[in-house]
Amino acid sequence: MYVGVDIGGTKTLVAVLNDNGEIVEQVKFATPKNYDHWVLEIKNLALSHLKHQDFKAGGIGAPGYIDRIHGRMIRQPNLPWKNVPVEGDCEKIFNCPMVLENDANVAGLSEAMLHKEADSVLYVTISTGIGTGFVYKQKLDTALLDSEGGHVLIEHRGILTTWEKLSAGRMMFKHFGKKVADIDPSDKASWKYVAHHIATGLLSNIAIFQPDLVIIGGSVGEQFEYYGDMLQDELDKHKLPVVDIPKVVGAQRPSLCVIYGCYELAKQTFKHD
């Protein structure tokens, strides 16, 4: 068995996966603002609710900047945790080797494994913010682990701003007065707005990474069926002689891709077939 831990700003999801990568049980709880309280929650709530306790290895997906050498979360945008030893604490709790990685990276690894025809995959998660992960031949590209594609600069109304500040879920909410998930599926004008704003920063990322495939995940990615064709059309308008526009698809497992990515990364890190 393997264990995956998805740490979010509002909730933490712990799941057990069998050797075939199938989720056999899971437990979710609100992420405490205090890190010590979070550790107690993992010990007292997650473990007491998990039937399986014997793990080969596990992975942890966490937002923000990661110290991979020491297994620590240094800083992240939605929790006041700073320089906390998540990897070591989880190893003690689950009694197995653990690997800590940025959540957008592990999510991208998970989704890229479902598209083995594509050598290079750019994964973009669009929720409250925008994160990116780059996968090459079903492995995380170690040179790009700390890349932040959501922070590319875009000129908007004469001012330079980041793609995230212009197009993330919270800005969509500000524009529409509701979540993207609540937009009427038949409201073509609104979906065109969504597609246009995603394209503004995605074009820059495509020019830099030149991926074979782009996968859109996160809460905005869950609505991909309503704007996906418009997004592809928007990108195709800006074809350049030296930059190919790749196919863009929605994530197949948007709400669980971090957990599945934890499983894949644990297998790769600890050399389990």
Side-chain angles (χ1 to χ4, degrees), residues 7 11 23 27 36 87 103 113 118 123 128 131 141 162 172 179 183 206 221 237 239 246 249 272:
I7 304 173
K11 60 88 179 172
I23 295 176
V27 61
D36 292 334
E87 187 175 280
D103 54 359
M113 298 296 288
Y123 175 81
T128 303
D141 189 321
T162 65
M172 297 289 185
K179 296 179 180 179
I183 298 174
I206 288 171
K237 290 178 184 176
K239 286 182 179 179
V249 300
H272 294 166

Side-chain angles (χ1 to χ4, degrees), residues 21 110-111 113-114 123 250-258 260-261 264:
S110 162
E111 288 293 320
M113 298 296 288
L114 303 175
Y123 175 81
Q252 294 185 35
R253 305 178 295 197
S255 62
L256 291 170
C257 55
V258 172
Y260 285 113
E264 296 290 352

Side-chain angles (χ1 to χ4, degrees), residues 60-271:
I60 308 158
Y65 184 67
I66 302 297
D67 176 353
R68 297 173 184 85
I69 295 176
H70 302 100
R72 304 177 77 92
M73 286 175 62
I74 302 302
R75 58 183 179 273
Q76 63 89 42
N78 298 313
L79 290 170
W81 303 359
K82 292 183 184 297
N83 197 24
V84 292
V86 177
E87 187 175 280
D89 285 338
C90 284
E91 286 183 338
K92 294 174 184 176
I93 292 169
F94 295 108
N95 193 32
C96 69
M98 302 286 293
V99 57
L100 172 67
E101 186 51 74
N102 175 270
D103 54 359
N105 287 339
V106 292
L109 177 62
S110 162
E111 288 293 320
M113 298 296 288
L114 303 175
H115 297 275
K116 294 185 178 181
E117 75 284 357
D119 280 347
S120 57
V121 176
L122 171 63
Y123 175 81
V124 182
T125 177
I126 308 176
S127 294
T128 303
I130 297 178
T132 53
F134 194 77
V135 181
Y136 183 70
K137 292 188 175 180
Q138 284 74 61
K139 291 187 178 181
L140 291 175
D141 189 321
T142 56
L144 297 171
L145 291 176
D146 293 320
S147 61
E148 290 288 348
H151 291 265
V152 296
L153 292 176
I154 298 169
E155 183 179 356
H156 179 65
R157 297 177 180 175
I159 300 174
L160 282 178
T161 187
T162 65
W163 181 28
E164 180 176 271
K165 288 182 179 178
L166 182 64
S167 306
R170 60 174 171 262
M171 298 310 296
M172 297 289 185
F173 184 90
K174 184 177 180 180
H175 175 79
F176 293 114
K178 56 187 174 184
K179 296 179 180 179
V180 170
D182 296 325
I183 298 174
D184 188 327
S186 64
D187 186 351
K188 301 299 184 183
S190 292
W191 292 119
K192 188 172 183 179
Y193 178 93
V194 172
H196 172 75
H197 279 73
I198 293 176
T200 54
L202 188 53
L203 284 164
S204 296
N205 278 273
I206 288 171
I208 295 168
F209 296 118
Q210 299 200 23
D212 298 325
L213 179 71
V214 175
I215 303 174
I216 307 293
S219 60
V220 176
E222 291 182 23
Q223 315 305 315
F224 185 82
E225 62 181 303
Y226 302 121
Y227 64 82
D229 290 342
M230 296 179 188
L231 175 58
Q232 192 75 60
D233 290 343
E234 192 76 22
L235 296 173
D236 288 340
K237 290 178 184 176
H238 300 280
K239 286 182 179 179
L240 297 172
V242 295
V243 178
D244 291 330
I245 299 298
K247 182 179 180 181
V248 183
V249 300
Q252 294 185 35
R253 305 178 295 197
S255 62
L256 291 170
C257 55
V258 172
I259 289 294
Y260 285 113
C262 288
Y263 162 80
E264 296 290 352
L265 185 60
K267 286 187 65 178
Q268 292 183 10
T269 301
F270 304 109
K271 310 301 182 185

